[in-house]
Amino acid sequence: MTCKKCGREFNEGTFCPNCGYNNAEQTQAPTPVVNDAPSFGYAVLCFFFPIVGLILYLVWKDKTPLRAKSCGKGALIGFIVGVVLNIINIFVLTPMIAQMGGTYGMLLL
């Protein structure tokens, strides 16, 4: 038998008499690759519910990075769109409705 570490030959046992390496140890097999692909469905879900996208991104980022990236992108875009729509509502629509007067305008303020 030949030692996997130092290359020296020995006759019996699993331990090398030269360096002491345990030649019976198996090298760790690579982890199997999980089906990982970008997902439009998850991106849409995370667009409408950005907190779900953040959670899924954090859970999947190491195991399925492409799917996690889809969730992260959907959540980020959904969050930005929400902020922009709120800014438009506060600074554009609300003053316009208030100028219209009446009960409907007062209810929105």
Side-chain angles (χ1 to χ4, degrees), residues 54-106:
L54 176 64
I55 292 169
L56 289 177
Y57 173 77
L58 293 174
V59 170
W60 288 343
K61 69 179 179 177
D62 294 328
K63 201 177 270 188
T64 54
L66 295 176
R67 190 180 305 160
K69 191 174 180 182
S70 294
C71 292
K73 281 182 181 179
L76 183 62
I77 293 169
F79 179 77
I80 291 170
V81 167
V83 168
V84 169
L85 289 177
N86 278 321
I87 290 171
I88 290 171
N89 183 30
I90 291 170
F91 293 111
V92 177
L93 296 177
T94 304
M96 285 174 51
I97 293 171
Q99 283 181 350
M100 290 166 46
T103 308
Y104 184 71
M106 291 302 187

Side-chain angles (χ1 to χ4, degrees), residues 1-100:
M1 181 180 251
T2 305
C3 178
K4 294 176 188 175
K5 186 173 181 182
C6 69
R8 202 153 186 212
E9 291 187 12
F10 60 96
N11 291 335
E12 50 186 75
T14 58
F15 290 96
C16 175
N18 185 43
C19 66
Y21 182 73
N22 184 1
N23 286 284
E25 290 179 356
Q26 296 290 330
T27 56
Q28 208 174 26
T31 56
V33 176
V34 179
N35 281 342
D36 184 24
S39 174
F40 181 73
Y42 280 118
V44 171
L45 172 75
C46 298
F47 173 81
F48 289 108
F49 303 102
I51 191 71
V52 172
L54 176 64
I55 292 169
L56 289 177
Y57 173 77
L58 293 174
V59 170
W60 288 343
K61 69 179 179 177
D62 294 328
K63 201 177 270 188
T64 54
L66 295 176
R67 190 180 305 160
K69 191 174 180 182
S70 294
C71 292
K73 281 182 181 179
L76 183 62
I77 293 169
F79 179 77
I80 291 170
V81 167
V83 168
V84 169
L85 289 177
N86 278 321
I87 290 171
I88 290 171
N89 183 30
I90 291 170
F91 293 111
V92 177
L93 296 177
T94 304
M96 285 174 51
I97 293 171
Q99 283 181 350
M100 290 166 46

